Amino acid sequence: MLIAAAAAVLVSMALALARAFLGPRLYNRILAINTFGTKTVLFIAVLGVISGRPYLFEIALLYALVNFVTTVAVLRLTHLDELLVGMDEEEAR
Amino acid sequence: MTISLILDVVTGALLLGGCVLVISGGVGLLRFPDFYSRTHAASLTDTAGAGLVILGLLLQADGPESVIRLVLIMFFMMLTGPTAAHALAQAARRDGERAVLDGRAAEGPADGPAADGPAADDEGRP
Protein backbone atom coordinates (compact mmCIF):
# COMPACT_ATOMS: atom_id res chain seq x y z
CA MET A 1 0.00 0.00 0.00
CA LEU A 2 2.67 2.49 1.03
CA ILE A 3 4.97 1.18 -1.69
CA ALA A 4 2.19 1.66 -4.25
CA ALA A 5 1.77 5.24 -3.05
CA ALA A 6 5.52 5.81 -3.42
CA ALA A 7 5.38 4.38 -6.95
CA ALA A 8 2.46 6.65 -7.86
CA VAL A 9 4.32 9.69 -6.58
CA LEU A 10 7.39 8.62 -8.59
CA VAL A 11 5.29 8.30 -11.77
CA SER A 12 3.87 11.77 -11.20
CA MET A 13 7.38 13.11 -10.60
CA ALA A 14 8.43 11.69 -13.97
CA LEU A 15 5.46 13.39 -15.66
CA ALA A 16 6.33 16.73 -14.07
CA LEU A 17 9.95 16.34 -15.13
CA ALA A 18 8.81 15.65 -18.71
CA ARG A 19 6.82 18.90 -18.64
CA ALA A 20 9.88 20.70 -17.28
CA PHE A 21 11.92 19.48 -20.26
CA LEU A 22 9.15 20.05 -22.83
CA GLY A 23 7.81 23.33 -21.45
CA PRO A 24 7.48 25.93 -24.17
CA ARG A 25 8.72 28.89 -22.20
CA LEU A 26 10.04 29.89 -18.80
CA TYR A 27 6.86 29.77 -16.72
CA ASN A 28 5.90 26.23 -17.70
CA ARG A 29 9.32 25.11 -16.51
CA ILE A 30 9.05 26.98 -13.21
CA LEU A 31 5.59 25.47 -12.63
CA ALA A 32 6.85 21.97 -13.38
CA ILE A 33 9.86 22.34 -11.08
CA ASN A 34 7.61 23.63 -8.27
CA THR A 35 5.31 20.63 -8.67
CA PHE A 36 8.34 18.34 -8.82
CA GLY A 37 9.53 19.71 -5.48
CA THR A 38 6.12 19.21 -3.89
CA LYS A 39 6.07 15.60 -5.02
CA THR A 40 9.59 15.14 -3.73
CA VAL A 41 8.33 16.20 -0.30
CA LEU A 42 5.53 13.64 -0.56
CA PHE A 43 7.98 10.94 -1.65
CA ILE A 44 10.35 11.62 1.25
CA ALA A 45 7.43 11.53 3.72
CA VAL A 46 6.16 8.20 2.34
CA LEU A 47 9.73 6.88 2.48
CA GLY A 48 9.96 7.93 6.12
CA VAL A 49 6.87 5.89 7.01
CA ILE A 50 8.02 2.89 4.95
CA SER A 51 11.50 2.75 6.47
CA GLY A 52 10.37 3.78 9.96
CA ARG A 53 12.86 6.63 10.27
CA PRO A 54 11.18 9.77 11.65
CA TYR A 55 14.06 12.10 10.81
CA LEU A 56 13.07 11.89 7.14
CA PHE A 57 9.99 13.96 8.07
CA GLU A 58 12.28 16.82 9.09
CA ILE A 59 14.04 16.59 5.72
CA ALA A 60 10.64 16.72 4.00
CA LEU A 61 9.59 19.77 6.03
CA LEU A 62 12.84 21.55 5.17
CA TYR A 63 12.42 20.63 1.51
CA ALA A 64 8.89 22.07 1.44
CA LEU A 65 10.02 25.40 2.85
CA VAL A 66 13.11 25.62 0.60
CA ASN A 67 10.94 24.76 -2.42
CA PHE A 68 8.58 27.65 -1.74
CA VAL A 69 11.40 30.13 -1.15
CA THR A 70 13.13 28.95 -4.35
CA THR A 71 10.00 29.42 -6.44
CA VAL A 72 9.42 32.94 -5.15
CA ALA A 73 13.10 33.82 -5.60
CA VAL A 74 13.14 32.59 -9.20
CA LEU A 75 9.96 34.56 -9.91
CA ARG A 76 11.65 37.64 -8.47
CA LEU A 77 14.70 37.05 -10.68
CA THR A 78 12.56 36.89 -13.83
CA HIS A 79 11.70 40.55 -13.34
CA LEU A 80 15.24 41.61 -12.51
CA ASP A 81 15.64 43.23 -15.94
CA GLU A 82 12.68 45.52 -15.30
CA LEU A 83 14.00 46.39 -11.88
CA LEU A 84 17.45 47.23 -13.25
CA VAL A 85 15.95 49.27 -16.09
CA GLY A 86 13.85 51.19 -13.58
CA MET A 87 16.91 51.89 -11.45
CA ASP A 88 18.84 53.12 -14.46
CA GLU A 89 16.02 55.47 -15.42
CA GLU A 90 15.87 56.83 -11.91
CA GLU A 91 19.61 57.36 -11.86
CA ALA A 92 19.44 59.10 -15.24
CA ARG A 93 16.91 61.48 -13.81
CA MET B 1 -6.37 -5.86 16.30
CA THR B 2 -9.59 -4.53 14.86
CA ILE B 3 -8.51 -0.95 15.51
CA SER B 4 -5.32 -1.54 13.56
CA LEU B 5 -7.34 -3.12 10.75
CA ILE B 6 -9.68 -0.11 10.62
CA LEU B 7 -6.69 2.24 10.58
CA ASP B 8 -5.16 0.27 7.71
CA VAL B 9 -8.38 0.42 5.70
CA VAL B 10 -8.83 4.17 6.26
CA THR B 11 -5.15 4.72 5.39
CA GLY B 12 -5.59 2.75 2.18
CA ALA B 13 -8.63 4.79 1.18
CA LEU B 14 -6.90 8.11 1.88
CA LEU B 15 -3.73 7.03 0.06
CA LEU B 16 -5.79 5.81 -2.91
CA GLY B 17 -7.60 9.14 -3.20
CA GLY B 18 -4.35 11.06 -2.84
CA CYS B 19 -2.57 8.94 -5.45
CA VAL B 20 -5.45 9.34 -7.93
CA LEU B 21 -5.26 13.11 -7.46
CA VAL B 22 -1.46 13.17 -7.70
CA ILE B 23 -1.33 11.10 -10.89
CA SER B 24 -4.19 13.00 -12.52
CA GLY B 25 -2.39 16.22 -11.65
CA GLY B 26 0.77 14.93 -13.30
CA VAL B 27 -1.11 13.83 -16.43
CA GLY B 28 -2.90 17.18 -16.55
CA LEU B 29 0.41 18.99 -16.17
CA LEU B 30 1.70 17.08 -19.18
CA ARG B 31 -1.37 17.17 -21.43
CA PHE B 32 -3.24 20.43 -20.82
CA PRO B 33 -2.83 22.88 -23.70
CA ASP B 34 -2.20 26.03 -21.74
CA PHE B 35 -0.08 27.47 -18.96
CA TYR B 36 -3.06 28.51 -16.84
CA SER B 37 -4.83 25.14 -17.04
CA ARG B 38 -1.50 23.50 -16.15
CA THR B 39 -1.42 25.81 -13.14
CA HIS B 40 -4.83 24.43 -12.19
CA ALA B 41 -3.58 20.84 -12.42
CA ALA B 42 -0.40 21.52 -10.45
CA SER B 43 -2.20 23.48 -7.74
CA LEU B 44 -4.74 20.67 -7.34
CA THR B 45 -1.87 18.26 -6.79
CA ASP B 46 -0.16 20.59 -4.35
CA THR B 47 -3.13 20.95 -2.02
CA ALA B 48 -5.64 18.13 -2.30
CA GLY B 49 -3.38 15.27 -3.32
CA ALA B 50 -0.61 16.11 -0.86
CA GLY B 51 -3.14 16.68 1.94
CA LEU B 52 -4.81 13.31 1.39
CA VAL B 53 -1.50 11.43 1.19
CA ILE B 54 -0.17 13.05 4.36
CA LEU B 55 -3.46 12.41 6.17
CA GLY B 56 -3.09 8.78 5.20
CA LEU B 57 0.50 8.71 6.48
CA LEU B 58 -0.64 10.42 9.69
CA LEU B 59 -2.71 7.37 10.64
CA GLN B 60 0.36 5.14 10.28
CA ALA B 61 2.71 7.35 12.28
CA ASP B 62 4.21 5.98 15.47
CA GLY B 63 4.67 8.36 18.36
CA PRO B 64 3.74 12.01 18.84
CA GLU B 65 6.90 13.43 17.29
CA SER B 66 6.09 11.92 13.89
CA VAL B 67 2.53 13.24 14.17
CA ILE B 68 3.76 16.74 14.97
CA ARG B 69 6.18 16.72 12.04
CA LEU B 70 3.58 15.42 9.58
CA VAL B 71 1.05 18.03 10.75
CA LEU B 72 3.71 20.72 10.25
CA ILE B 73 4.46 19.45 6.74
CA MET B 74 0.75 19.49 5.85
CA PHE B 75 0.27 22.96 7.34
CA PHE B 76 3.16 24.47 5.43
CA MET B 77 2.19 22.77 2.17
CA MET B 78 -1.37 24.09 2.49
CA LEU B 79 0.10 27.53 3.16
CA THR B 80 2.78 27.68 0.48
CA GLY B 81 1.19 25.76 -2.41
CA PRO B 82 -1.60 28.19 -3.33
CA THR B 83 0.69 31.15 -2.60
CA ALA B 84 3.30 29.90 -5.06
CA ALA B 85 0.66 29.10 -7.68
CA HIS B 86 -0.86 32.57 -7.32
CA ALA B 87 2.51 34.31 -7.58
CA LEU B 88 3.41 32.20 -10.62
CA ALA B 89 0.14 32.91 -12.45
CA GLN B 90 0.35 36.61 -11.67
CA ALA B 91 3.95 36.85 -12.91
CA ALA B 92 3.06 34.93 -16.08
CA ARG B 93 0.10 37.22 -16.77
CA ARG B 94 2.32 40.23 -16.21
CA ASP B 95 4.77 38.86 -18.76
CA GLY B 96 1.98 38.41 -21.30
CA GLU B 97 1.48 34.64 -21.27
CA ARG B 98 -1.60 33.93 -23.43
CA ALA B 99 -4.43 31.53 -22.65
CA VAL B 100 -5.53 28.97 -25.23
CA LEU B 101 -9.28 28.43 -25.60
CA ASP B 102 -10.82 25.91 -28.03
CA GLY B 103 -7.45 25.18 -29.57
CA ARG B 104 -6.67 28.74 -30.58
CA ALA B 105 -5.12 31.68 -28.83
CA ALA B 106 -7.52 33.79 -26.82
CA GLU B 107 -8.49 37.22 -28.05
CA GLY B 108 -6.67 39.08 -25.36
CA PRO B 109 -5.42 42.64 -25.44
CA ALA B 110 -3.92 42.92 -28.89
CA ASP B 111 -1.19 45.28 -27.81
CA GLY B 112 0.79 42.54 -26.10
CA PRO B 113 2.48 42.39 -22.74
CA ALA B 114 4.26 45.72 -22.81
CA ALA B 115 1.01 47.67 -23.01
CA ASP B 116 -0.96 45.30 -20.79
CA GLY B 117 1.33 45.14 -17.78
CA PRO B 118 1.52 48.77 -16.61
CA ALA B 119 -2.21 49.31 -17.17
CA ALA B 120 -3.05 46.33 -14.96
CA ASP B 121 -0.58 47.61 -12.40
CA ASP B 122 -2.17 51.02 -12.31
CA GLU B 123 -5.62 49.54 -11.87
CA GLY B 124 -4.49 47.01 -9.31
CA ARG B 125 -2.83 49.51 -6.99
CA PRO B 126 -4.98 52.59 -6.50
Side-chain angles (χ1 to χ4, degrees):
Chain A
M1 182 170 61
L2 289 168
I3 295 177
V9 173
L10 271 182
V11 167
S12 185
M13 280 166 76
L15 292 173
L17 205 59
R19 173 50 68 193
F21 277 112
L22 287 175
R25 277 181 300 278
L26 174 69
Y27 289 106
N28 285 307
R29 296 179 206 270
I30 299 177
L31 177 69
I33 291 302
N34 186 20
T35 309
F36 185 78
T38 303
K39 284 162 192 167
T40 308
V41 172
L42 279 184
F43 183 67
I44 294 174
V46 174
L47 210 63
V49 173
I50 287 177
S51 65
R53 292 171 179 160
Y55 62 86
L56 286 176
F57 296 149
E58 298 177 7
I59 299 177
L61 181 58
L62 197 66
Y63 205 100
L65 296 177
V66 168
N67 185 28
F68 173 65
V69 172
T70 305
T71 303
V72 175
V74 169
L75 284 178
R76 176 61 69 186
L77 282 178
T78 55
H79 291 297
L80 196 61
D81 295 341
E82 294 180 8
L83 292 178
L84 289 178
V85 166
M87 282 175 61
D88 284 338
E89 285 178 355
E90 284 181 359
E91 284 175 359
R93 286 169 197 167
Chain B
M1 182 61 189
T2 56
I3 288 182
S4 132
L5 185 65
I6 289 173
L7 278 185
D8 277 352
V9 169
V10 175
T11 301
L14 285 173
L15 280 182
L16 184 66
C19 287
V20 166
L21 279 179
V22 163
I23 286 192
S24 66
V27 172
L29 189 67
L30 195 59
R31 285 187 55 89
F32 276 167
D34 183 5
F35 170 74
Y36 298 103
S37 46
R38 283 172 201 150
T39 306
H40 157 70
S43 177
L44 179 86
T45 301
D46 279 357
T47 55
L52 282 180
V53 168
I54 289 183
L55 270 182
L57 294 182
L58 204 56
L59 298 179
Q60 294 289 321
D62 45 352
E65 59 268 11
S66 300
V67 170
I68 289 175
R69 283 162 193 160
L70 280 173
V71 166
L72 276 178
I73 290 174
M74 193 166 74
F75 173 72
F76 280 115
M77 284 179 86
M78 290 292 165
L79 197 65
T80 61
T83 311
H86 179 83
L88 195 59
Q90 199 177 21
R93 186 188 171 277
R94 191 163 161 244
D95 260 2
E97 186 86 27
R98 295 296 187 87
V100 173
L101 303 172
D102 281 340
R104 57 188 163 80
E107 300 295 328
D111 298 335
D116 188 27
D121 254 3
D122 287 345
E123 285 177 4
R125 297 171 192 160

mmCIF file of all heavy atoms in Angstrom, chain B residues 3-37:
data_model
loop_
_atom_site.group_PDB
_atom_site.id
_atom_site.type_symbol
_atom_site.label_atom_id
_atom_site.label_comp_id
_atom_site.label_asym_id
_atom_site.label_seq_id
_atom_site.Cartn_x
_atom_site.Cartn_y
_atom_site.Cartn_z
ATOM 1 N N ILE B 3 -8.799 -2.377 15.683
ATOM 2 C CA ILE B 3 -8.508 -0.947 15.508
ATOM 3 C C ILE B 3 -7.397 -0.757 14.480
ATOM 4 O O ILE B 3 -7.466 0.114 13.613
ATOM 5 C CB ILE B 3 -8.123 -0.324 16.877
ATOM 6 C CG1 ILE B 3 -9.372 -0.221 17.735
ATOM 7 C CG2 ILE B 3 -7.494 1.039 16.681
ATOM 8 C CD1 ILE B 3 -9.128 0.401 19.057
ATOM 9 N N SER B 4 -6.401 -1.628 14.537
ATOM 10 C CA SER B 4 -5.320 -1.543 13.557
ATOM 11 C C SER B 4 -5.825 -1.848 12.157
ATOM 12 O O SER B 4 -5.422 -1.201 11.181
ATOM 13 C CB SER B 4 -4.205 -2.502 13.973
ATOM 14 O OG SER B 4 -3.789 -3.276 12.898
ATOM 15 N N LEU B 5 -6.777 -2.804 12.062
ATOM 16 C CA LEU B 5 -7.339 -3.117 10.748
ATOM 17 C C LEU B 5 -8.109 -1.928 10.188
ATOM 18 O O LEU B 5 -7.981 -1.575 9.002
ATOM 19 C CB LEU B 5 -8.254 -4.331 10.867
ATOM 20 C CG LEU B 5 -8.824 -4.864 9.553
ATOM 21 C CD1 LEU B 5 -7.699 -5.399 8.688
ATOM 22 C CD2 LEU B 5 -9.854 -5.932 9.806
ATOM 23 N N ILE B 6 -8.910 -1.286 11.071
ATOM 24 C CA ILE B 6 -9.678 -0.111 10.625
ATOM 25 C C ILE B 6 -8.736 1.008 10.189
ATOM 26 O O ILE B 6 -8.946 1.667 9.160
ATOM 27 C CB ILE B 6 -10.618 0.356 11.756
ATOM 28 C CG1 ILE B 6 -11.745 -0.651 11.932
ATOM 29 C CG2 ILE B 6 -11.215 1.713 11.438
ATOM 30 C CD1 ILE B 6 -12.615 -0.367 13.125
ATOM 31 N N LEU B 7 -7.658 1.201 10.953
ATOM 32 C CA LEU B 7 -6.685 2.239 10.577
ATOM 33 C C LEU B 7 -6.052 1.930 9.236
ATOM 34 O O LEU B 7 -5.851 2.836 8.413
ATOM 35 C CB LEU B 7 -5.605 2.351 11.651
ATOM 36 C CG LEU B 7 -5.946 3.191 12.874
ATOM 37 C CD1 LEU B 7 -4.741 3.290 13.771
ATOM 38 C CD2 LEU B 7 -6.406 4.563 12.454
ATOM 39 N N ASP B 8 -5.750 0.636 9.001
ATOM 40 C CA ASP B 8 -5.160 0.274 7.709
ATOM 41 C C ASP B 8 -6.117 0.541 6.565
ATOM 42 O O ASP B 8 -5.717 1.059 5.514
ATOM 43 C CB ASP B 8 -4.755 -1.203 7.730
ATOM 44 C CG ASP B 8 -3.401 -1.399 8.376
ATOM 45 O OD1 ASP B 8 -2.743 -0.379 8.646
ATOM 46 O OD2 ASP B 8 -3.022 -2.554 8.626
ATOM 47 N N VAL B 9 -7.412 0.207 6.787
ATOM 48 C CA VAL B 9 -8.381 0.417 5.697
ATOM 49 C C VAL B 9 -8.552 1.903 5.403
ATOM 50 O O VAL B 9 -8.559 2.330 4.236
ATOM 51 C CB VAL B 9 -9.724 -0.248 6.066
ATOM 52 C CG1 VAL B 9 -10.805 0.192 5.088
ATOM 53 C CG2 VAL B 9 -9.591 -1.748 6.051
ATOM 54 N N VAL B 10 -8.657 2.719 6.475
ATOM 55 C CA VAL B 10 -8.827 4.167 6.259
ATOM 56 C C VAL B 10 -7.575 4.748 5.606
ATOM 57 O O VAL B 10 -7.660 5.602 4.702
ATOM 58 C CB VAL B 10 -9.147 4.856 7.597
ATOM 59 C CG1 VAL B 10 -9.202 6.357 7.414
ATOM 60 C CG2 VAL B 10 -10.476 4.375 8.114
ATOM 61 N N THR B 11 -6.391 4.271 6.021
ATOM 62 C CA THR B 11 -5.152 4.724 5.388
ATOM 63 C C THR B 11 -5.125 4.375 3.909
ATOM 64 O O THR B 11 -4.724 5.189 3.068
ATOM 65 C CB THR B 11 -3.946 4.096 6.094
ATOM 66 O OG1 THR B 11 -3.971 4.480 7.447
ATOM 67 C CG2 THR B 11 -2.669 4.548 5.472
ATOM 68 N N GLY B 12 -5.567 3.154 3.576
ATOM 69 C CA GLY B 12 -5.589 2.752 2.181
ATOM 70 C C GLY B 12 -6.511 3.621 1.353
ATOM 71 O O GLY B 12 -6.172 4.023 0.240
ATOM 72 N N ALA B 13 -7.686 3.949 1.925
ATOM 73 C CA ALA B 13 -8.627 4.791 1.179
ATOM 74 C C ALA B 13 -8.056 6.184 0.961
ATOM 75 O O ALA B 13 -8.122 6.733 -0.154
ATOM 76 C CB ALA B 13 -9.948 4.871 1.929
ATOM 77 N N LEU B 14 -7.465 6.759 2.020
ATOM 78 C CA LEU B 14 -6.900 8.107 1.878
ATOM 79 C C LEU B 14 -5.734 8.116 0.890
ATOM 80 O O LEU B 14 -5.619 9.023 0.050
ATOM 81 C CB LEU B 14 -6.438 8.623 3.235
ATOM 82 C CG LEU B 14 -7.540 9.061 4.194
ATOM 83 C CD1 LEU B 14 -6.964 9.387 5.546
ATOM 84 C CD2 LEU B 14 -8.248 10.268 3.636
ATOM 85 N N LEU B 15 -4.865 7.082 0.979
ATOM 86 C CA LEU B 15 -3.730 7.030 0.059
ATOM 87 C C LEU B 15 -4.201 6.813 -1.367
ATOM 88 O O LEU B 15 -3.628 7.370 -2.311
ATOM 89 C CB LEU B 15 -2.774 5.908 0.467
ATOM 90 C CG LEU B 15 -1.826 6.218 1.610
ATOM 91 C CD1 LEU B 15 -0.918 5.046 1.851
ATOM 92 C CD2 LEU B 15 -0.996 7.431 1.284
ATOM 93 N N LEU B 16 -5.285 6.031 -1.549
ATOM 94 C CA LEU B 16 -5.792 5.814 -2.906
ATOM 95 C C LEU B 16 -6.318 7.118 -3.502
ATOM 96 O O LEU B 16 -6.000 7.457 -4.649
ATOM 97 C CB LEU B 16 -6.891 4.759 -2.872
ATOM 98 C CG LEU B 16 -7.438 4.359 -4.237
ATOM 99 C CD1 LEU B 16 -6.353 3.666 -5.033
ATOM 100 C CD2 LEU B 16 -8.646 3.468 -4.098
ATOM 101 N N GLY B 17 -7.100 7.853 -2.703
ATOM 102 C CA GLY B 17 -7.596 9.140 -3.201
ATOM 103 C C GLY B 17 -6.464 10.106 -3.505
ATOM 104 O O GLY B 17 -6.454 10.776 -4.540
ATOM 105 N N GLY B 18 -5.477 10.164 -2.607
ATOM 106 C CA GLY B 18 -4.345 11.058 -2.840
ATOM 107 C C GLY B 18 -3.562 10.670 -4.062
ATOM 108 O O GLY B 18 -3.133 11.541 -4.842
ATOM 109 N N CYS B 19 -3.357 9.365 -4.289
ATOM 110 C CA CYS B 19 -2.575 8.938 -5.446
ATOM 111 C C CYS B 19 -3.324 9.192 -6.739
ATOM 112 O O CYS B 19 -2.717 9.561 -7.750
ATOM 113 C CB CYS B 19 -2.218 7.463 -5.320
ATOM 114 S SG CYS B 19 -0.961 7.191 -4.095
ATOM 115 N N VAL B 20 -4.670 9.016 -6.728
ATOM 116 C CA VAL B 20 -5.447 9.340 -7.926
ATOM 117 C C VAL B 20 -5.306 10.819 -8.252
ATOM 118 O O VAL B 20 -5.067 11.209 -9.415
ATOM 119 C CB VAL B 20 -6.927 8.950 -7.712
ATOM 120 C CG1 VAL B 20 -7.797 9.583 -8.777
ATOM 121 C CG2 VAL B 20 -7.086 7.456 -7.756
ATOM 122 N N LEU B 21 -5.392 11.678 -7.220
ATOM 123 C CA LEU B 21 -5.261 13.114 -7.461
ATOM 124 C C LEU B 21 -3.856 13.463 -7.938
ATOM 125 O O LEU B 21 -3.689 14.293 -8.842
ATOM 126 C CB LEU B 21 -5.607 13.891 -6.200
ATOM 127 C CG LEU B 21 -7.101 14.077 -5.974
ATOM 128 C CD1 LEU B 21 -7.347 14.819 -4.697
ATOM 129 C CD2 LEU B 21 -7.701 14.828 -7.123
ATOM 130 N N VAL B 22 -2.834 12.839 -7.326
ATOM 131 C CA VAL B 22 -1.457 13.167 -7.696
ATOM 132 C C VAL B 22 -1.170 12.757 -9.136
ATOM 133 O O VAL B 22 -0.603 13.526 -9.923
ATOM 134 C CB VAL B 22 -0.484 12.486 -6.708
ATOM 135 C CG1 VAL B 22 0.911 12.455 -7.279
ATOM 136 C CG2 VAL B 22 -0.469 13.224 -5.402
ATOM 137 N N ILE B 23 -1.615 11.551 -9.524
ATOM 138 C CA ILE B 23 -1.327 11.101 -10.892
ATOM 139 C C ILE B 23 -2.139 11.884 -11.900
ATOM 140 O O ILE B 23 -1.645 12.252 -12.974
ATOM 141 C CB ILE B 23 -1.572 9.584 -11.004
ATOM 142 C CG1 ILE B 23 -0.433 8.847 -10.310
ATOM 143 C CG2 ILE B 23 -1.652 9.151 -12.447
ATOM 144 C CD1 ILE B 23 -0.390 7.394 -10.571
ATOM 145 N N SER B 24 -3.407 12.209 -11.568
ATOM 146 C CA SER B 24 -4.191 12.997 -12.524
ATOM 147 C C SER B 24 -3.617 14.404 -12.648
ATOM 148 O O SER B 24 -3.655 15.004 -13.735
ATOM 149 C CB SER B 24 -5.650 13.043 -12.098
ATOM 150 O OG SER B 24 -5.777 13.754 -10.889
ATOM 151 N N GLY B 25 -3.059 14.930 -11.555
ATOM 152 C CA GLY B 25 -2.395 16.223 -11.649
ATOM 153 C C GLY B 25 -1.166 16.158 -12.541
ATOM 154 O O GLY B 25 -0.913 17.069 -13.326
ATOM 155 N N GLY B 26 -0.398 15.071 -12.440
ATOM 156 C CA GLY B 26 0.767 14.926 -13.302
ATOM 157 C C GLY B 26 0.386 14.791 -14.761
ATOM 158 O O GLY B 26 0.997 15.409 -15.641
ATOM 159 N N VAL B 27 -0.671 13.996 -15.038
ATOM 160 C CA VAL B 27 -1.112 13.831 -16.430
ATOM 161 C C VAL B 27 -1.654 15.148 -16.966
ATOM 162 O O VAL B 27 -1.391 15.534 -18.117
ATOM 163 C CB VAL B 27 -2.166 12.710 -16.506
ATOM 164 C CG1 VAL B 27 -2.778 12.650 -17.888
ATOM 165 C CG2 VAL B 27 -1.538 11.376 -16.189
ATOM 166 N N GLY B 28 -2.389 15.881 -16.108
ATOM 167 C CA GLY B 28 -2.904 17.178 -16.546
ATOM 168 C C GLY B 28 -1.782 18.167 -16.800
ATOM 169 O O GLY B 28 -1.832 18.950 -17.747
ATOM 170 N N LEU B 29 -0.741 18.109 -15.966
ATOM 171 C CA LEU B 29 0.406 18.990 -16.173
ATOM 172 C C LEU B 29 1.084 18.700 -17.501
ATOM 173 O O LEU B 29 1.621 19.595 -18.152
ATOM 174 C CB LEU B 29 1.392 18.795 -15.016
ATOM 175 C CG LEU B 29 2.547 19.759 -14.929
ATOM 176 C CD1 LEU B 29 2.043 21.129 -14.615
ATOM 177 C CD2 LEU B 29 3.510 19.303 -13.859
ATOM 178 N N LEU B 30 1.040 17.433 -17.922
ATOM 179 C CA LEU B 30 1.703 17.080 -19.178
ATOM 180 C C LEU B 30 0.814 17.327 -20.388
ATOM 181 O O LEU B 30 1.312 17.677 -21.456
ATOM 182 C CB LEU B 30 2.111 15.609 -19.133
ATOM 183 C CG LEU B 30 3.108 15.170 -20.194
ATOM 184 C CD1 LEU B 30 4.358 15.980 -20.067
ATOM 185 C CD2 LEU B 30 3.425 13.713 -20.027
ATOM 186 N N ARG B 31 -0.517 17.204 -20.243
ATOM 187 C CA ARG B 31 -1.371 17.167 -21.429
ATOM 188 C C ARG B 31 -2.244 18.393 -21.627
ATOM 189 O O ARG B 31 -2.821 18.554 -22.696
ATOM 190 C CB ARG B 31 -2.277 15.931 -21.367
ATOM 191 C CG ARG B 31 -1.557 14.650 -21.680
ATOM 192 C CD ARG B 31 -2.530 13.504 -21.760
ATOM 193 N NE ARG B 31 -3.593 13.768 -22.717
ATOM 194 C CZ ARG B 31 -3.530 13.472 -24.006
ATOM 195 N NH1 ARG B 31 -2.451 12.912 -24.477
ATOM 196 N NH2 ARG B 31 -4.527 13.734 -24.805
ATOM 197 N N PHE B 32 -2.389 19.258 -20.622
ATOM 198 C CA PHE B 32 -3.239 20.429 -20.824
ATOM 199 C C PHE B 32 -2.590 21.383 -21.816
ATOM 200 O O PHE B 32 -1.364 21.468 -21.898
ATOM 201 C CB PHE B 32 -3.487 21.132 -19.491
ATOM 202 C CG PHE B 32 -4.613 20.537 -18.716
ATOM 203 C CD1 PHE B 32 -4.821 20.864 -17.393
ATOM 204 C CD2 PHE B 32 -5.486 19.644 -19.304
ATOM 205 C CE1 PHE B 32 -5.863 20.313 -16.678
ATOM 206 C CE2 PHE B 32 -6.530 19.091 -18.601
ATOM 207 C CZ PHE B 32 -6.717 19.431 -17.280
ATOM 208 N N PRO B 33 -3.393 22.130 -22.574
ATOM 209 C CA PRO B 33 -2.831 22.884 -23.697
ATOM 210 C C PRO B 33 -2.233 24.228 -23.320
ATOM 211 O O PRO B 33 -1.683 24.901 -24.173
ATOM 212 C CB PRO B 33 -4.050 23.087 -24.603
ATOM 213 C CG PRO B 33 -5.175 23.154 -23.657
ATOM 214 C CD PRO B 33 -4.860 22.211 -22.547
ATOM 215 N N ASP B 34 -2.302 24.623 -22.065
ATOM 216 C CA ASP B 34 -2.201 26.033 -21.742
ATOM 217 C C ASP B 34 -1.465 26.178 -20.423
ATOM 218 O O ASP B 34 -1.524 25.293 -19.579
ATOM 219 C CB ASP B 34 -3.640 26.543 -21.618
ATOM 220 C CG ASP B 34 -3.696 28.008 -21.353
ATOM 221 O OD1 ASP B 34 -2.640 28.618 -21.356
ATOM 222 O OD2 ASP B 34 -4.799 28.511 -21.139
ATOM 223 N N PHE B 35 -0.790 27.285 -20.224
ATOM 224 C CA PHE B 35 -0.081 27.471 -18.957
ATOM 225 C C PHE B 35 -1.048 27.569 -17.781
ATOM 226 O O PHE B 35 -0.807 27.008 -16.712
ATOM 227 C CB PHE B 35 0.775 28.734 -19.009
ATOM 228 C CG PHE B 35 1.336 29.106 -17.681
ATOM 229 C CD1 PHE B 35 2.373 28.382 -17.138
ATOM 230 C CD2 PHE B 35 0.799 30.148 -16.963
ATOM 231 C CE1 PHE B 35 2.884 28.704 -15.902
ATOM 232 C CE2 PHE B 35 1.301 30.476 -15.730
ATOM 233 C CZ PHE B 35 2.344 29.753 -15.201
ATOM 234 N N TYR B 36 -2.171 28.262 -17.979
ATOM 235 C CA TYR B 36 -3.062 28.507 -16.838
ATOM 236 C C TYR B 36 -3.803 27.234 -16.436
ATOM 237 O O TYR B 36 -4.008 26.990 -15.243
ATOM 238 C CB TYR B 36 -4.032 29.628 -17.183
ATOM 239 C CG TYR B 36 -3.323 30.921 -17.445
ATOM 240 C CD1 TYR B 36 -3.139 31.389 -18.720
ATOM 241 C CD2 TYR B 36 -2.791 31.644 -16.400
ATOM 242 C CE1 TYR B 36 -2.465 32.555 -18.963
ATOM 243 C CE2 TYR B 36 -2.109 32.816 -16.626
ATOM 244 C CZ TYR B 36 -1.950 33.270 -17.908
ATOM 245 O OH TYR B 36 -1.266 34.419 -18.137
ATOM 246 N N SER B 37 -4.187 26.416 -17.405
ATOM 247 C CA SER B 37 -4.825 25.145 -17.035
ATOM 248 C C SER B 37 -3.809 24.203 -16.414
ATOM 249 O O SER B 37 -4.144 23.424 -15.512
ATOM 250 C CB SER B 37 -5.481 24.522 -18.258
ATOM 251 O OG SER B 37 -4.616 24.573 -19.351
#
